[in-house]
Amino acid sequence: MLHDVGTKLAVAALATALVYYVGSKKPAPGPTQPVRPPRKDSHTGFGPKDSVTVRVPATTANMGPGFDSIGMALDIWNELTVERADEFSFVNEGEGSDVLPTDETNLVVVGLKAAFKAAGQEMPTLRILCRNRIPFARGLGSSSAGIVAGIIAGLVIAGHELSVYGKEELLQIAAGIEGHPDNVAPCIYGGLQLGIFTDNRWYSSRVQIPDGMQCVLFIPETTGKTSTARAILPAKIDRADAVYNIGRAAILVNAFRSGNLPELRHAVQDKLHQPQRGEAQYPHLFPLIDAALEAGAHGCFLSGAGPSVLAITSGLSGDIFTQMACERAETKVADAMRDAAAKVGVKGCVFITNPEHRGAHIVKVHPKISDHLVARYEGDITDL
């Protein structure tokens, strides 16, 4: 099912991942659910804006057998603020700030330009501030986060409307830049997303994520280039390997939908990219997978093009002090992954997080979009 939201207002559609009506404690609808159209009686309305702040999540892609087609949002966030200005400036803070470009080659600017092109406008002079918490070039979707954040910010500044119903125009722009949908789709919509190219367009479909799921990440100190990781892969694949992956991708989706997480032990196995990258590029990959599974993880796989490795555990459902005694395995899995990496001489850190149901959303905009919508942001209420 497409992400039908029944509105053409791009900003409102993007904000639905975090938009709440005052007093509501229910999570915002997922992109496959009907969404209440925004009220149109605001005295400000939707039009060109002076400034906007956007948040976008990290993502893990491929997820074993789902090469270039399955991805999931994670609760790690970048924040982008874009303002009209008299003089261009670009500042990076946080992850990757010492290596990320501050000119037109930055993917944020690529996304901004794509948005203004879609709006039929020249990109104005802008002041750009990136607060990056997603580890850069580690297989956690930092490139897609930059692209998506730039597109959304550009659309808001331009005051441009996108078609959403039946078209997913934002996804078309983002995946067109990235070349595949497995990172940009969950970055835009949140959750676990299946992405394909069909009928001359990118298409995405959301899969239910079981409650209580956690993600244990081992993030090496060294970076990994996607171009290098792709160059390792063979141009053709064996039919038996294709069948191997098709079956496991199907079981992976069923495991998520049914909540039968132990099935992930087999469902995240792969023949198309992990063996090749583990042998030629990431000697820590399979030692970490084996260690995580032995320590109680349901499944473990290379995150995106690497070098990060992600293990899935469960048990996040109650009092942490009670659960530590018997139910929760994330700390044990984290320790096992860290020890396995040390044995093969790979330095890094462990980060424990969880899947994120929200996707990209607007935190703040001026002039505000509506008198009747608010955004929930880290416990605070901010006017949109």
Side-chain angles (χ1 to χ4, degrees):
M1 180 179 181
L2 297 179
H3 299 295
D4 297 345
V5 297
T7 176
K8 290 187 177 181
L9 286 179
V11 154
L14 298 170
T16 53
L18 195 61
V19 168
Y20 288 74
Y21 289 87
V22 177
S24 173
K25 294 185 178 180
K26 295 181 179 180
T32 58
Q33 298 172 280
V35 175
R36 186 188 307 178
R39 294 179 61 170
K40 298 181 179 180
D41 55 348
S42 167
H43 67 82
T44 53
F46 182 68
K49 304 299 178 185
D50 296 328
S51 67
V52 63
T53 298
V54 178
R55 297 182 82 211
V56 287
T59 50
T60 182
N62 297 331
M63 299 184 69
F67 184 70
D68 277 2
S69 58
I70 303 178
M72 181 172 67
L74 301 173
D75 190 18
I76 310 171
W77 298 85
N78 281 0
E79 187 172 282
L80 169 67
T81 297
V82 177
E83 302 174 282
R84 294 181 185 270
D86 295 329
E87 183 177 347
F88 176 82
S89 66
F90 195 126
V91 175
N92 286 307
E93 295 180 354
E95 295 286 340
S97 59
D98 56 337
V99 294
L100 284 167
T102 55
D103 57 19
E104 293 186 351
T105 62
N106 191 295
L107 288 173
V108 168
V109 180
V110 173
L112 284 164
K113 285 186 172 182
F116 283 100
K117 180 179 179 181
Q121 302 177 22
E122 291 291 327
M123 189 174 80
T125 304
L126 299 170
R127 179 165 50 247
I128 302 167
L129 171 61
C130 297
R131 296 185 177 92
N132 300 321
R133 300 177 184 89
I134 301 171
F136 172 69
R138 300 301 204 285
L140 295 170
S142 59
S143 296
S144 292
I147 292 168
V148 171
I151 295 171
I152 294 174
L155 291 171
V156 175
I157 296 293
H160 182 62
E161 300 178 1
L162 285 182
S163 295
V164 179
Y165 184 88
K167 294 184 178 181
E168 293 183 284
E169 284 188 344
L170 175 60
L171 178 64
Q172 309 312 308
I173 298 172
I177 297 171
E178 181 80 339
H180 42 87
D182 54 340
N183 285 110
V184 294
C187 186
I188 293 169
Y189 301 117
L192 180 69
Q193 299 287 336
L194 314 178
I196 60 173
F197 190 82
T198 183
D199 296 331
N200 204 36
R201 57 154 292 189
W202 298 101
Y203 175 98
S204 60
S205 180
R206 190 183 189 107
V207 177
Q208 177 74 23
I209 294 178
D211 292 335
M213 210 176 91
Q214 298 177 95
C215 301
V216 182
L217 283 161
F218 179 82
I219 306 172
E221 290 182 357
T222 55
T223 60
K225 289 186 177 180
T226 301
S227 57
T228 302
R230 285 185 176 273
I232 293 169
L233 305 182
K236 296 182 179 181
I237 62 173
D238 186 80
R239 179 185 297 175
D241 291 344
V243 172
Y244 183 98
N245 271 50
I246 290 169
R248 282 158 178 78
I251 293 176
L252 187 151
V253 173
N254 187 61
F256 272 80
R257 290 191 62 90
S258 66
N260 187 4
L261 294 182
E263 283 192 331
L264 293 177
R265 186 181 188 93
H266 309 292
V268 296
Q269 294 171 343
D270 161 76
K271 291 283 190 180
L272 302 187
H273 69 104
Q274 291 188 143
Q276 297 85 346
R277 289 168 172 171
E279 180 180 354
Q281 192 176 16
Y282 304 133
H284 63 284
L285 174 57
F286 288 103
L288 263 68
I289 289 176
D290 292 341
L293 293 175
E294 186 175 349
H298 295 304
C300 188
F301 50 86
L302 184 69
S303 182
S308 295
V309 180
L310 188 149
I312 291 176
T313 68
S314 56
L316 184 64
S317 58
D319 178 4
I320 185 172
F321 299 106
T322 301
Q323 288 185 299
M324 280 296 183
C326 57
E327 295 179 22
R328 298 173 69 124
E330 73 272 20
T331 301
K332 184 178 179 182
V333 170
D335 289 341
M337 294 174 75
R338 186 187 294 109
D339 292 343
K343 288 178 181 178
V344 294
V346 176
K347 295 181 179 180
C349 65
V350 175
F351 193 96
I352 300 174
T353 185
N354 49 272
E356 178 54 60
H357 296 277
R358 299 172 298 173
H361 56 270
I362 300 163
V363 174
K364 182 169 57 177
V365 62
H366 179 77
K368 62 184 179 179
I369 296 171
S370 171
D371 290 334
H372 307 285
L373 297 179
V374 295
R376 187 175 303 240
Y377 173 54
E378 296 183 349
D380 297 327
I381 300 298
T382 305
D383 287 340
L384 286 181

